[in-house]
Amino acid sequence: MPHLNFTQPPFDVLSAAERQSIKKNTQVRYLAKDETLPADDLQYFYVVLKGHVEQLLDGDFVASYLGSNHTEHLNSNDWFDSRRSPKSLIEDRVQEDRLQEGKKIDSQTTSYQFRAVEDTLLLQVNGATIDKISAQNYLVRQLLSESLPERLKALQLRRSGQHLDATSSDDPQEVQQIMLQPVIDITLLPIHIVDADNSLYQAARTMTEAGLKHVLVRPTGHLQDINSSDRNLGILTDNDICRAVSDQQNPATTPCQHYASFNLRTIDSDDEIGDALLTMTRYRIHRLPVIATDGKVIGVLGQSDMLAHIGHHSQLISIQIDQATDLPSLATAVELIGRYIRAQHQNGIKMGNVSRMVQTLNAQVFTKLWQLIVPDEVIENTCVIVMGSEGRGEQIMRTDQDNALIIRDGYDHPKLVQFADTFNQHLANLGYPLCDGNIMMTNPMWRQPLKPFKAQISVWFKNTDPMHSIYLSAIFDGEYVCGDESLLIQVREHLKTAHRQSDLMFVRQFARAALQFGDINQWWQKLVPLLGGKPSAYTIDLKKAGIFPLVHGIRTLALENDLFTDPSSKGRLKALVQAQALTQERADTLLEALEFFMAQRLSVALLTDNKYAKEVDPTTLSALERDLLKECLAVVKSFKAQLSRHYQLEIG
């Protein structure tokens, strides 16, 4: 007889006694095709072993539940609690649809109906047993909660592996643990030593053969002194050799000691990583010879290797960015941001927290790059901003760059065009692709003095061109990076003024974009006929189905209420609650759904190693992820229905 799989949720968090209790109160239930669960059976918790069950409310489709024969996960069986009453967000969605269609709602409808789409095999678990276990096991209670935020929290715990011991890991504690590790836990660079009287040419040849950017230098008389320590060694880097060449020295005859650095900072092999990080930061050095207890050097600790070892911690990436002196060193920091994203996602860290930290780190990268390119006077008289998902703090993967340069009225520099082009090209070289829509400071439209910039915004509010709404969406999402922030503040003030002076119908037209992609929930109804086809036939575009409608709908409500200070969706939702345009519960649900879609998109991108990936095949998801995807799509549809009613628009 088929039995419960205790390796999949929600049963993989049960104790031995709880498993035994479940076993005693479970039986197999067969539903023939088109058969509906009778009312007497709506007191159980069900697991779909094989087949397909549709959930209906007064004949309207609500959701589908699949057995493992319809998913790529062999043991990924959907579950449902037949006792759940139709007072959830899903029921709200259905009722909104029926209100729009002019249907009368039957207030006597108190339960869902469950119909087998094909011959289906179910495991039927006593509801009272589930309730008893939920009462004493909060992990089960969280997984089966009717609250979307609670179930999303359960997913985050599972991704981090913390559900196994029900304990949460404190990130600062994790940093501390790594800082206490000995430096020899990090892979050290090999030792290559030249004599102080060797030529720079000989040293350069040694570097090239070893694939290093440095060699250690043995001082004259070092070998003759039996008491000498390797702490007295010097170092010669490729930069030192470049300095000698720029001084017009002959590398073949110039001895290393003329350009090497002595009196080096070193670190002992039993010192902690935290000590090494502190030394490098304090003295702004990138390499530390590691000395064993016998006084001999055993390797060289490179800063990039150390940061790679601890690089998923944002504080340390920030140090790397701050110390960058050229494009290659900045590229190392950017690579660490990518590692940070992957590590945080794998640890189940809440996606909103990750995205906002990534925004902060990216802003540091952009600031450092701008500082490396332009003189101080340009920084003082301009303001660099980022827009789109980067401006909102919601761009996890580096998919494109949206930026602009606001210039102080009356200021000019003959190389501004060159600076802007260099900035965008260097960002592209660092892995931030150029924007296909040319929303970058290389475009004169996005590189203007303040007064013309404001005049251009006023023109966009007239909405005489389809692109005007796109441009306004970009500037609405503008966030400060570096320079004179007052320039951006003045742009935001003008946005408010220009909006108030615009046509009363502008916001209504602006809202249309959030409704343009139609009803993604049709996928669930069409799933079965497609199961024999290719997976691409029933993938879901996470951006079109989830992210964009939520982001643009929230953006539109913020515009309507003159909320321009915080461009992030989280900040806008908070402001909308304060303005009483949304309830706190509604705002929390919208944010949770948005962050779920962002996390799923990141999962797809990491799995496929394609940062542009945005489509997910629901049959490849776990039962828990699939359940949450259905509910988050229901949140989107409910929100679109709300926007449709509010702005009197039809959903596309």
Side-chain angles (χ1 to χ4, degrees):
M1 181 182 92
H3 60 277
L4 281 171
N5 183 350
F6 290 112
T7 65
Q8 76 165 76
F11 305 111
D12 57 345
V13 293
L14 300 180
S15 66
E18 289 168 342
R19 291 184 182 186
Q20 193 61 33
S21 177
I22 286 281
K23 287 180 180 178
K24 289 180 179 178
N25 292 278
T26 299
Q27 61 183 1
V28 175
R29 179 73 161 82
Y30 171 76
L31 277 184
K33 181 179 179 180
D34 293 328
E35 184 181 353
T36 300
L37 282 175
D40 290 345
D41 285 347
L42 299 184
Q43 54 182 314
Y44 297 100
F45 180 90
Y46 291 93
V47 179
V48 185
L49 291 176
K50 184 179 180 182
H52 176 204
V53 173
E54 269 190 350
Q55 183 179 7
L56 307 169
L57 179 63
D58 197 24
D60 287 324
F61 173 83
V62 174
S64 285
Y65 300 97
L66 306 175
S68 58
N69 59 313
H70 287 312
T71 67
E72 292 191 9
H73 284 268
L74 183 61
N75 295 317
S76 180
N77 306 87
D78 287 345
W79 70 78
F80 60 90
D81 191 335
S82 66
R83 301 170 300 163
R84 183 177 293 184
S85 62
K87 296 179 181 178
S88 65
L89 188 61
I90 294 179
E91 186 253 7
D92 292 340
R93 168 177 62 85
V94 173
Q95 291 195 359
E96 284 165 352
D97 292 346
R98 296 164 70 198
L99 280 170
Q100 285 185 311
E101 296 166 5
K103 293 183 180 179
K104 184 178 180 180
I105 298 173
D106 181 5
S107 60
Q108 300 304 312
T109 299
T110 57
S111 61
Y112 292 113
Q113 300 87 49
F114 297 90
R115 182 182 67 85
V117 178
E118 60 186 60
D119 289 350
T120 299
L121 201 61
L122 303 168
L123 282 178
Q124 181 175 284
V125 187
N126 185 284
T129 302
I130 291 290
D131 291 342
K132 182 178 178 181
I133 291 175
S134 295
Q136 62 193 25
N137 187 326
Y138 86 93
L139 292 172
V140 174
R141 185 165 66 250
Q142 197 175 53
L143 281 166
L144 302 182
S145 171
E146 292 193 26
S147 165
L148 176 60
E150 281 298 303
R151 300 217 305 283
L152 287 170
K153 191 182 298 182
L155 178 60
Q156 291 160 9
L157 286 173
R158 305 188 77 77
R159 283 175 170 162
S160 66
Q162 293 172 18
H163 68 287
L164 298 176
D165 58 10
T167 60
S168 61
S169 175
D170 191 336
D171 190 58
Q173 291 180 2
E174 186 182 353
V175 174
Q176 185 65 21
Q177 290 172 0
I178 291 181
M179 291 299 152
L180 294 175
Q181 293 175 0
V183 293
I184 55 174
D185 280 4
I186 302 173
T187 302
L188 303 179
L189 297 171
I191 305 167
H192 290 273
I193 303 177
V194 299
D195 292 327
D197 55 2
N198 285 156
S199 69
L200 293 177
Y201 169 77
Q202 291 173 301
R205 184 171 180 179
T206 301
M207 289 184 202
T208 302
E209 291 175 351
L212 296 172
K213 295 184 178 182
H214 73 276
V215 288
L216 297 178
V217 181
R218 183 182 296 113
T220 303
H222 180 77
L223 291 177
Q224 285 71 34
D225 184 358
I226 59 174
N227 295 318
S228 65
S229 165
D230 281 351
R231 296 183 193 278
N232 296 324
L233 292 173
I235 192 169
L236 183 80
T237 69
D238 53 353
N239 285 336
D240 295 325
I241 295 176
C242 290
R243 185 160 52 90
V245 173
S246 68
D247 291 343
Q248 298 184 337
Q249 299 296 311
N250 184 348
T253 59
T254 303
C256 291
Q257 62 186 358
H258 287 185
Y259 284 88
S261 299
F262 292 92
N263 300 317
L264 298 182
R265 300 284 173 183
T266 62
I267 192 134
D268 292 338
S269 58
D270 57 355
D271 281 345
E272 297 165 357
I273 291 174
D275 296 325
L277 178 63
L278 181 62
T279 301
M280 288 185 178
T281 303
R282 178 177 297 168
Y283 299 105
R284 294 187 175 273
I285 54 180
H286 304 291
R287 303 172 186 87
L288 280 175
V290 180
I291 308 298
T293 54
D294 61 0
K296 299 301 181 184
V297 63
I298 59 173
V300 176
L301 176 62
Q303 186 185 56
S304 59
D305 294 310
M306 180 181 67
L307 290 175
H309 183 77
I310 51 181
H312 59 283
H313 298 293
S314 57
Q315 307 96 314
L316 307 173
I317 303 174
S318 180
I319 293 172
Q320 174 81 345
I321 296 170
D322 182 61
Q323 293 187 344
T325 57
D326 52 26
L327 205 60
S329 56
L330 199 54
T332 300
V334 172
E335 174 62 27
L336 293 177
I337 294 175
R339 297 185 189 183
Y340 168 83
I341 293 169
R342 184 181 291 272
Q344 297 296 87
H345 184 55
Q346 290 173 344
N347 288 335
I349 304 300
K350 194 172 178 62
M351 190 49 52
N353 296 339
V354 178
S355 65
R356 284 183 284 278
M357 180 53 69
V358 170
Q359 179 191 35
T360 299
L361 294 172
N362 282 340
Q364 286 186 261
V365 170
F366 303 155
T367 299
K368 174 61 72 170
L369 179 59
W370 191 240
Q371 291 170 343
L372 292 173
I373 294 171
V374 307
D376 290 344
E377 67 164 278
V378 173
I379 295 175
E380 295 167 0
N381 288 280
T382 61
C383 179
V384 177
I385 66 172
V386 289
M387 299 172 288
S389 55
E390 186 67 61
R392 297 191 308 275
E394 294 160 13
Q395 177 164 286
I396 305 295
M397 307 300 289
R398 301 191 296 272
T399 52
D400 63 359
Q401 49 172 296
D402 296 329
N403 47 64
L405 185 67
I406 309 169
I407 307 165
R408 189 187 309 281
D409 289 330
Y411 176 76
D412 194 17
H413 191 287
K415 292 187 176 180
L416 270 183
V417 175
Q418 178 183 330
F419 292 154
D421 182 65
T422 302
F423 179 76
N424 287 145
Q425 290 299 326
H426 280 356
L427 278 182
N429 294 337
L430 288 171
Y432 301 87
L434 297 173
C435 174
D436 290 337
N438 203 23
I439 301 180
M440 301 178 292
M441 65 171 69
T442 49
N443 183 344
M445 184 170 69
W446 297 101
R447 186 188 67 250
Q448 294 194 71
L450 179 60
K451 188 174 181 179
F453 215 120
K454 289 158 67 173
Q456 181 172 260
I457 289 172
S458 295
V459 171
W460 291 342
F461 268 103
K462 294 179 181 178
N463 207 23
T464 57
D465 186 297
M467 292 300 295
H468 288 173
S469 289
I470 295 176
Y471 297 151
L472 281 174
S473 294
I475 197 65
F476 287 162
D477 295 346
E479 181 60 289
Y480 171 77
V481 172
C482 63
D484 185 355
E485 189 174 5
S486 69
L487 296 172
L488 174 59
I489 293 173
Q490 292 179 72
V491 166
R492 286 175 174 165
E493 286 300 316
H494 183 72
L495 280 169
K496 188 180 297 186
T497 301
H499 169 231
R500 290 173 178 173
Q501 295 172 348
S502 66
D503 189 298
L504 293 176
M505 298 296 289
F506 174 80
V507 175
R508 181 172 181 267
Q509 296 302 318
F510 189 74
R512 285 188 184 277
L515 311 179
Q516 65 182 317
F517 295 119
D519 180 11
I520 194 65
N521 283 284
Q522 292 173 0
W523 181 91
W524 302 105
Q525 292 171 286
K526 297 178 180 178
L527 173 63
V528 173
L530 293 170
L531 286 174
K534 298 180 180 179
S536 60
Y538 49 86
T539 56
I540 291 177
D541 187 315
L542 294 168
K543 184 175 182 179
K544 288 183 178 180
I547 296 174
F548 181 79
L550 292 174
V551 166
H552 192 68
I554 294 167
R555 181 194 287 133
T556 303
L557 291 173
L559 170 63
E560 179 188 355
N561 289 273
D562 283 338
L563 304 173
F564 297 101
T565 303
D566 190 338
S568 70
S569 295
K570 180 178 182 179
R572 285 169 172 161
L573 286 168
K574 182 178 180 180
L576 286 167
V577 171
Q578 292 172 345
Q580 298 185 331
L582 288 176
T583 65
Q584 186 65 61
E585 182 180 4
R586 182 61 153 168
D588 291 344
T589 302
L590 292 175
L591 183 61
E592 293 285 355
L594 174 60
E595 293 185 354
F596 171 80
F597 288 122
M598 290 167 57
Q600 288 302 123
R601 185 177 180 185
L602 177 59
S603 295
V604 173
L606 294 177
L607 184 64
T608 61
D609 201 24
N610 176 11
K611 61 186 177 184
Y612 298 103
K614 55 188 178 181
E615 293 191 345
V616 62
D617 177 358
T619 64
T620 65
L621 302 178
S622 68
L624 176 59
E625 289 174 315
R626 198 161 50 246
D627 181 56
L628 289 170
L629 176 60
K630 285 185 281 191
E631 183 134 353
C632 287
L633 287 172
V635 171
V636 174
K637 184 165 187 184
S638 173
F639 185 47
K640 288 167 69 175
Q642 177 183 347
L643 295 172
S644 175
R645 294 193 307 274
H646 184 67
Y647 295 112
Q648 298 182 335
L649 295 169
E650 292 185 4
I651 298 178

